[in-house]
Structure formats: C-alpha cells, structure tokens
Amino acid sequence: MRYTYVRENPVFRFLFVVLIPLAILAYVHFGTDPYYETVFVLFLVNIIPCAALNLTNGITGIFSLGQAAFMALGAYISSLLTLEPKTKFAYMPQIPEWLGNAHFPFWAAMLAACVITSLIAVVIGFTILRAKGHYLAVITLGMVIVVKSLLDNASNLTNGSRGISGMEKYTTMPVALLCVIITLYVLYRIRISAFGRSMIALRDDEDAAASLGIRHLQIRLLSFVVSAFFAAAGGCLWAHLERVIAPSLFYFDETFTILEMSVIGGMATLSGAIPGAAILTFIPQVLADLSNGFTIFGITVPKISGLSSIVMSIVFILVIIFRRGGVTGNSEYIVESMFSLDTYTGLFRKSTYADLKQSLLNIGKRNRQPANEESVKEDRK
C-alpha cells in the first residue's frame, strides 16, 4: 500500500493521534498537580456529550438543544444509586425506602442511568421528533426547562434546588479515557454503518432519502436515543468528578456550552468533539487566571471582569464567519486514525517507512517546483 501524503501514513497517524496524546495524559496523570489532572479529566468528560450531540445535530440533522437534560438525568440517577444509604436518608428523609437502601457499584449505576435515560428518550422522541428545524430546537430547549423544574420540585428524590453532594470520586483519568474510547468507537461504528449512511442521507435531503425507503422517524429516533445514552454517561462521569450536583448546573449554561463545543470543533464529524472540548475546557481555565490582570512585554493589563466569556464569544464569532465547518470541517481524520486497523498494523510493514520517506521528499519537491497536472496525477496513484 502506498501512502502519498505524510498525514495518511500509519507512522504519522499513530504518532500524532495515538501516542503523543496518550503520553500527555500519562504525564498529567502521574507527574503533575491534581488540579491539572482534574482539568484534563473534565476535558475527556466533555468529549462524550459533545460527540453524542454531533451524532444528532451534525450527522442526522436534528437540531437538538436537550443534551443538558439527559446529562442531568444520568448524573442524578447514578448519584442516587451509588450514594451510601445513610447519606441519602440524611439529605432526603422521605426518599422511598427501596431507593434509599439501594447501593450499586459505579459501573452498574452508570449503565442503569444510561439505560433509564435512553428509555425516557424513546418516549420523548416519539412525541417531539415529528417536528423539524427551529420548532424541534425550541421543544428540546423546553425539555431542559421541564427536567430542571422536576428536579427542583421532586425534593423527596433530588433534595430540590440544594442538590446532592458527597458522592465518591470514581471519575479518574483511566475511567474517563476508557469511556471516551468506548463512546467514540460505538458512535463511529454507527456512523459508518447502514444506519449512519441513512442519517447522513436524511440530513442532506429528506425527500430523496424517503424515496429510497428510509424511514425518517425510526432513524431520527435511533440517533436521538443513542445520543441520550451517551449524554447520560457524560453526566454520570461529571457528577462523580465534581462530587456535587444541582439542577442549576444542568441548565442553559451547560446546554450552550456543549453546543459551542460542537460548533467550534466541527458539528458534522465525531472528531470535532475533541478539539471543541479542548478549546472550551482549557481556554477558560487559562483566561480565569489572566482575568485578575497580567503583564505582557512590560505592559500591565488591568483586571477585566468576564474576560473568559469575551474571548470565547470572539472565538465563536470568528469560527462562524471564517470556518463554518468548525476546526475539523468534514474530516473524520482523528477518529478514523484511532480506530483504523491500518494505523497499527502499518507500523510493522517496511513499505510504510519507505512511503513515509518518499512523502517527506515529495514535500520538498512541491516546495521547490510548481505542481503541474501530470505530477499531481502521479502522486495520487
């Protein structure tokens, strides 16, 4: 197999998509301050609901704003199942006895939360997915309001607006990384399956897809339910990272934060969730330290309130104007490289390294000579 371009070579893919990111995460996990590890774990957690949102909004064409509602359900259900009975009865003395005495392991509670949230999404999806466009967006946004109101008022189960705290910190770097890999792999397999092609067909031209026998309601419902499943997983991981949850934490702020990640990273691809989550996680952390004032090139910049929000708003506007497809555009390069068998088996073929050398030489030739039509054709063979 011949790899004409450097970025297509398995050595390049493995080095920059797999090895270097894992090395960075390992260094942060074993060799840095716990604060920085928490930030990186939060970044991994944010990838999950963002990738799930990309499946509905970017790949299927459903403009949903209800991701925060599913995250809230996952967070509350898993927290109630993993909390010690004495803690639950201390927060909620009137909690049903069977639920108060229930104590599940983390993975069992997480799976139960995801399944229950998915079943709720099935019921909701049958009702709302007949709407389209901005009508559906408003309905799903209303779903966030409804879920928050229920959590605020069901004090016997949720402790109301005061929230719940005291959960064990199960969300560590290895746990979050494992969940990210599982999420991206499952969503990627769906995307390249017949169901995924049907989702893309519905997004591009619903009438043409219907003429080919694609049942739009079933495909949309599948996308909606799968997205809800992984959004609940993200909420569960978030709850057991921060160890405190409240209805206000899963409201409009979280809704539009996840949406910003999707748009900035690239809504049409699963790969876009990774740079999107990185930008919306790391930049606000950096700007939070600079908002109290800083000095650059001898110039002292005074304290600027809301610096993080101002900068992220500018970034969002610039992406909308100059890069409407987001950082990744329509390229699935990151996820494809992660889960392509060739990325790993290609490392053991001698031809891979010969092709890499030739590709590097070709870069030098292209920089020295103007490309003509014949040379381009030759390179692409």
Side-chain angles (χ1 to χ4, degrees), residues 198 201-202 205-216:
S198 298
L202 282 173
D205 194 325
E206 185 174 333
D207 293 332
S211 68
L212 296 174
I214 297 175
R215 299 181 179 181
H216 68 279

Side-chain angles (χ1 to χ4, degrees), residues 112-130:
C114 294
V115 170
I116 293 172
T117 303
S118 299
L119 295 176
I120 296 173
V122 170
V123 176
I124 296 173
F126 267 119
T127 306
I128 69 173
L129 290 179
R130 302 178 192 278

